[in-house]
Amino acid sequence: MNYRVPQPVPQVILDDVRGAQKMLSGVSRVTAMEGSRHLSALTGSPVHLKCENLQRTGSFKLRGAYVRIAGLRPEQRAAGVVAASAGNHAQGVALASSLLGVRSTVFMPVGAPLPKVAATEEYGAEVRLYGQVVDETLAAAQEYADRTGAVFIHPFDHHDIIAGQGTVGLEILEQCPEVRTILVGIGGGGLAAGVAVAVKALRPDVKVIGVQAAGAAAYPPSLRAGHPVSIDNPTTMADGIKVGRPGDVPFAIIGELLDDVRTVSEDALSSALLLCLERAKLVVEPAGCSPVAALLSEPERYGGGPVVAVLSGGNIDPLLLQRILQFGMAAAGRYLSLRLRVSDRPGALAGLLGVLTTVDANVLDVSHVRTDPRLGLTEVEVELHLETKGPEHCTQVARTLHGAGYTVVG
């Protein structure tokens, strides 16, 4: 990394992570490590996927939540726990609390996807919907904790949470001892900090690289400043890493131990999700795809040895998945939208579709516009949505339409 933050020795150590691993035995799964031939060919190095999307509750969050709640004193357990989350942390806290016999209350935003709300309730938590954004939900959960004495379970800014997440790093070293680089998504920083503690203690030669969405990248400016700073209005489809300010505890560790933090675009995230679904047969949420997005964005950076990309979660609302897949297909050049002007006469549309048949373009949707004042009296505008085979095929479609006399206006 280009910036080093002067910090004391990190307060989470390898013994903490090993203790968390013993505590999680029989609770969390040792998730699979799957090879990716496509990514391996792209980078020139073996690439393995650490499938935390197949963890119980669908993400790594159960690990830290269980360790944190298991460490509470009896009187704290009796008071119950409270958390605020739009999804993964909520489910991790709910299941961990149920396994430990602790009452849990989880505040979620009013607009939280219904499948995530239902799953959190099924894991045993009382769900309270409050606020339109996570900051409002977080404030409500903290007020509840102050009022009732329930213990607030932070999603990333606590030593026990980080120790629990660090067990992912221990498993990576056991499953892929020849690893040279580990890529892990960063929101608040709990997972990346935990993995760095475990890996750097045992294998200081292994690079640990964090990945953030470009629209929600609070770590690069924070590392330059030497302390956590907030960014305004973080924006990304990857809601699992959409955090406006690093956590104090993980920031100290990341500044000391991580080798680099890189950012990825929304196009790269959607393309990575599509790749995981098509090539690896894995449903992964956008935040969980961020390490794969980094590989797709700069494959030449990772040619120095085996790479492990941590797929941190797989909880995604089906409606969002549908939109992201369409976005990903467009980013990959496999979904093309066109607007053309044609003569408003019988057979004109059939002629246009016949031209598309000659270039093997699959028509997904077609619509007519006749009321645009820019149209001539005998013109109609046709909007087409096409499924194509990639960027070269898109170019071929456009050239064929132009050669047939059609004018593409958008």
Side-chain angles (χ1 to χ4, degrees), residues 36-49 275-276 279 291-293 295-296 299 309:
S36 172
R37 287 183 294 177
H38 179 79
L39 291 172
S40 298
L42 192 66
T43 62
S45 292
V47 174
H48 306 278
L49 306 175
L275 183 144
C276 287
R279 297 299 184 96
V292 175
L295 291 170
L296 294 177

Side-chain angles (χ1 to χ4, degrees), residues 21-335:
Q21 188 176 44
K22 292 179 181 178
M23 191 178 296
L24 287 167
S25 177
V27 175
S28 66
R29 294 172 181 153
V30 177
T31 51
M33 184 82 75
E34 298 287 344
S36 172
R37 287 183 294 177
H38 179 79
L39 291 172
S40 298
L42 192 66
T43 62
S45 292
V47 174
H48 306 278
L49 306 175
K50 176 61 171 167
C51 299
E52 282 296 290
N53 59 310
L54 303 179
Q55 183 59 260
R56 296 179 71 178
T57 75
S59 89
F60 70 97
K61 289 288 190 178
L62 171 66
R63 298 174 184 262
Y66 187 90
V67 173
R68 172 75 172 102
I69 297 169
L72 296 178
R73 299 187 303 274
E75 63 272 19
Q76 292 176 311
R77 292 194 186 194
V81 299
V82 61
S85 169
N88 289 347
H89 181 58
Q91 294 174 61
V93 168
L95 179 57
S97 299
S98 294
L99 292 173
L100 291 163
V102 177
R103 184 178 71 256
S104 63
T105 303
V106 176
F107 284 77
M108 304 182 76
V110 172
L114 291 179
K116 294 185 178 182
V117 174
T120 303
E121 291 177 330
E122 288 172 8
Y123 285 129
E126 176 190 348
V127 173
R128 300 192 180 191
L129 301 179
Y130 187 90
Q132 299 298 321
V133 295
V134 174
D135 285 345
E136 295 173 353
T137 308
L138 181 63
Q142 291 175 326
E143 186 278 331
Y144 178 89
D146 294 339
R147 175 167 48 84
T148 65
V151 178
F152 180 70
I153 307 299
H154 199 282
F156 50 81
D157 206 10
H158 193 278
H159 305 81
D160 291 343
I161 294 286
I162 293 170
Q165 321 304 30
T167 59
V168 174
L170 294 180
E171 290 179 15
I172 290 172
L173 295 182
E174 293 165 0
Q175 294 171 307
C176 185
E178 68 278 14
V179 64
R180 301 295 299 171
T181 303
I182 298 172
L183 290 166
V184 56
I186 300 183
L191 176 61
V195 169
V197 167
V199 171
K200 289 296 186 178
L202 295 169
R203 288 281 306 281
D205 59 303
V206 175
K207 290 183 178 179
V208 181
I209 297 174
V211 184
Q212 290 207 287
Y219 264 89
S222 297
L223 291 165
R224 287 192 292 268
H227 58 83
V229 298
S230 299
I231 59 171
D232 295 328
N233 301 317
T235 304
T236 176
M237 68 176 72
D239 56 352
I241 54 174
K242 189 170 71 173
V243 178
R245 182 186 184 279
D248 293 328
V249 180
F251 177 80
I253 297 170
I254 285 171
E256 181 69 22
L257 297 181
L258 238 65
D259 292 278
D260 203 354
V261 175
R262 294 173 187 161
T263 60
V264 293
S265 68
E266 299 297 285
D267 279 358
L269 287 168
S270 60
S271 295
L273 188 149
L274 184 61
L275 183 144
C276 287
L277 189 61
E278 285 192 324
R279 297 299 184 96
K281 315 305 178 190
L282 293 169
V283 176
V284 187
E285 63 189 271
C289 286
S290 57
V292 175
L295 291 170
L296 294 177
S297 300
E298 299 177 290
E300 68 282 354
R301 283 183 174 266
Y302 305 100
V307 178
V308 172
V310 180
L311 307 182
S312 57
N315 293 316
I316 182 169
D317 178 59
L319 295 177
L320 177 61
L321 177 62
Q322 181 182 27
R323 293 197 298 270
I324 292 175
L325 287 176
Q326 291 177 338
F327 189 81
M329 290 181 68
R334 293 170 51 193
Y335 187 83

